[in-house]
Amino acid sequence: MIDRARTLDAGDPLAQYRGRFDVPEGVIYLDGNSLGCLPSATPARLEQVVREEWGSDLIRSWNTAGWIDMPAKLGGKIAPLIGAQPQEVIVSDSVSVNLFKLISAALALRPGRKVVLSEPGNFPTDIYMIEGLEKQGLAERRLAPREELHEALDEDVALLLLTHAHYKTGELFDMAELTRAAHDAGALVLWDLSHSGGALPVDLNGCEADFAVGCGYKYLNGGPGAPAYAFIAQRHIADTQQPLSGWMGHAAPFAFDDDYRPAPGVERLLCGTPGILGLAALEVGVDLIAEIGVENLYAKSQRLSEFFRQCLAESGVELELVSPDDPATRGSQLSFRHDEAYAICQALIARGVIGDFRDPDILRFGFAPAYLRYEDMAEAARHLAEVLESGEWQRDEFRTRAAVT
Ligand SMILES: *Cc1c(COP(=O)(O)O)cnc(C)c1O
């Protein structure tokens, strides 16, 4: 296995990019779908922002270093990764907060309709944000399993809110088809790209999507709690009213008017003062992903995950796969079901193989192809086989749950 892996690494056109990340020695990192690795250029860039732009230039940097334009500039860089125009994307706040803004905006665009439709088992924050609006009397939450979504799309639905690549299983929705179905029912669509943006090609405009949000700290490698991004299709921007009408989303923040006037562009999604350190770190990650190219990344991630499965099979590991069998219908991850998934995950981490556990019984491995090698696949499969065979996961130390899984 290892020889075959090394041959594949030798022929890998993306192999050089591993050196652009600080992957810790002795670690096989299969959790880039939860927190991407540190790009090697990030610490120096942050040092520069802190020491020069903040330390020396102080408040002048809002103009001289272009801080004020960073949310839109960075949005413009993310846009081509998700099939959007540069003026349709802004970076701000967290995914959760952007969901709140855009769910509210969509409801306002569909007066007389209150239902926000999603699927049970969607990422919790997506569902909770609908619930919050429901408690305020502004929305009605409806959850329908995937196979019943079409049926649930009736004349009461204002918005269909789905996560493109499911966080637990990696299963992809057919974005074009579901967007069309929602539009046919008179509803708008909001796609959560947290597990697809920067991992696989997304074509928001090709699918005529209305709104989207996505995460900065996963495949975009923006660092813990990195700011998120939000997309409004050009045709909706002028009519999009979001309720968090903070001064940074004003048409002229420094006019200090008493009355709120939204910015003409996607900047109207801004709320308060943007976190410049977070934006600066995210920019390094986005530049790097854009340089490598999402098509290239997705092609390699499919090969990596299939090679991993092959290695598992050859090592005699039989685990129930809960991700789609066909790599073209899943994101950049593989998830397996096991009653002792938590302890197995901890035993792997103790060996330096970092994946993660998702309640109640999912063992999840993310394949961030920018910094992973085929050799890592062979080694991770060997470790997993050894952990299962030896039963070392049964040790007490692997069974105590930490706060963050
Ligand atoms: C990671 C993730 C989020 C994260 O939301 P935050 O508000 O940034 O914490 C949201 N939705 C999905 C589908 C995710 O995977």
Side-chain angles (χ1 to χ4, degrees):
M1 269 172 352
I2 197 77
D3 292 339
R4 213 167 348 122
R6 288 187 179 139
T7 309
L8 287 166
D9 282 322
D12 172 16
L14 304 191
Q16 51 165 316
Y17 290 107
R18 181 177 169 85
R20 305 273 295 275
F21 291 87
D22 285 4
V23 186
E25 198 65 39
V27 165
I28 297 175
Y29 195 63
L30 305 181
D31 214 4
N33 51 333
S34 232
L35 175 64
C37 266
L38 171 67
S40 312
T42 302
R45 173 65 184 131
L46 284 179
E47 171 92 12
Q48 182 193 23
V49 175
V50 169
R51 296 221 177 267
E52 294 171 28
E53 298 180 10
W54 175 15
S56 299
D57 298 343
L58 285 164
I59 196 141
R60 291 169 288 189
S61 286
W62 283 104
N63 293 310
T64 56
W67 284 355
I68 196 70
D69 299 322
M70 279 177 78
K73 182 178 127 201
L74 195 40
K77 289 183 173 192
I78 292 171
L81 308 179
I82 56 175
Q85 295 295 315
Q87 73 279 9
E88 295 173 315
V89 184
I90 191 89
V91 173
S92 76
D93 301 309
S94 60
V95 178
S96 305
V97 172
N98 290 329
L99 283 167
F100 180 80
K101 297 174 200 165
L102 291 176
I103 297 169
S104 306
L107 286 162
L109 283 171
R110 286 292 176 272
R113 295 180 176 221
K114 273 177 101 169
V115 172
V116 180
L117 174 63
S118 191
E119 64 164 343
N122 191 357
F123 191 81
T125 212
D126 298 59
I127 301 181
Y128 300 161
M129 295 315 287
I130 306 173
E131 211 178 299
L133 283 158
E134 186 172 52
K135 294 224 168 83
Q136 297 203 319
L138 298 169
E140 194 182 308
R141 190 183 86 161
R142 182 183 294 170
L143 303 180
R146 289 186 173 217
E147 52 286 1
E148 292 167 24
L149 280 172
H150 285 91
E151 225 172 297
L153 267 171
D154 61 22
E155 65 283 355
D156 294 326
V157 178
L159 178 71
L160 176 62
L161 163 56
L162 295 172
T163 299
H164 185 207
H166 196 276
Y167 77 104
K168 261 191 195 172
T169 66
E171 185 172 353
L172 289 173
F173 274 117
D174 184 337
M175 184 181 280
E177 196 270 326
L178 274 155
T179 302
R180 209 176 310 119
H183 289 171
D184 287 347
L188 296 162
V189 187
L190 165 49
W191 288 101
D192 186 333
L193 305 178
S194 293
H195 281 276
S196 44
L200 50 108
V202 175
D203 191 6
L204 288 173
N205 282 331
C207 298
E208 295 183 26
D210 302 291
F211 304 105
V213 294
C215 185
Y217 51 81
K218 292 170 180 153
Y219 291 102
L220 294 180
N221 308 301
Y229 56 91
F231 156 90
I232 310 176
Q234 183 68 54
R235 64 186 178 282
H236 293 311
I237 292 178
D239 296 326
T240 295
Q241 291 179 43
Q242 62 102 350
L244 300 181
S245 42
W247 73 308
M248 281 290 155
H250 193 280
F254 292 91
F256 297 102
D257 275 349
D258 280 346
D259 297 316
Y260 184 77
R261 240 180 333 119
V266 72
E267 290 86 348
R268 64 180 54 202
L269 287 181
L270 293 173
C271 181
T273 307
I276 297 303
L277 298 180
L279 285 162
L282 177 59
E283 185 168 21
V284 178
V286 169
D287 283 343
L288 195 42
I289 292 302
E291 180 185 337
I292 307 170
V294 275
E295 281 81 8
N296 298 330
L297 287 162
Y298 191 43
K300 181 174 168 187
S301 100
Q302 292 177 293
R303 285 189 215 111
L304 281 174
S305 59
E306 286 299 291
F307 183 64
F308 182 63
R309 290 176 73 190
Q310 218 178 328
C311 293
L312 287 179
E314 286 175 30
S315 312
V317 174
E318 285 175 23
L319 282 174
E320 181 192 346
L321 180 70
V322 293
S323 301
D325 184 59
D326 174 3
T329 61
R330 64 179 188 242
S332 208
Q333 72 183 70
L334 283 176
S335 300
F336 301 93
R337 184 175 285 127
H338 193 291
D339 286 345
E340 297 293 344
Y342 184 78
I344 294 168
C345 182
Q346 294 309 304
L348 281 172
I349 291 172
R351 285 166 169 258
V353 180
I354 304 182
D356 65 20
F357 162 79
R358 283 294 172 261
D359 212 46
D361 54 5
I362 302 287
L363 188 56
R364 188 174 73 157
F365 300 112
F367 303 96
Y371 46 82
L372 286 175
R373 301 167 298 193
Y374 292 90
E375 182 177 332
D376 298 321
M377 302 298 104
E379 283 296 279
R382 178 178 65 78
H383 283 294
L384 181 50
E386 287 174 9
V387 162
L388 289 170
E389 216 166 289
S390 66
E392 71 190 53
W393 55 268
Q394 294 175 39
R395 299 217 299 259
D396 284 348
E397 70 206 78
F398 297 141
R399 310 183 74 128
T400 322
R401 294 258 177 119
V404 175
T405 59

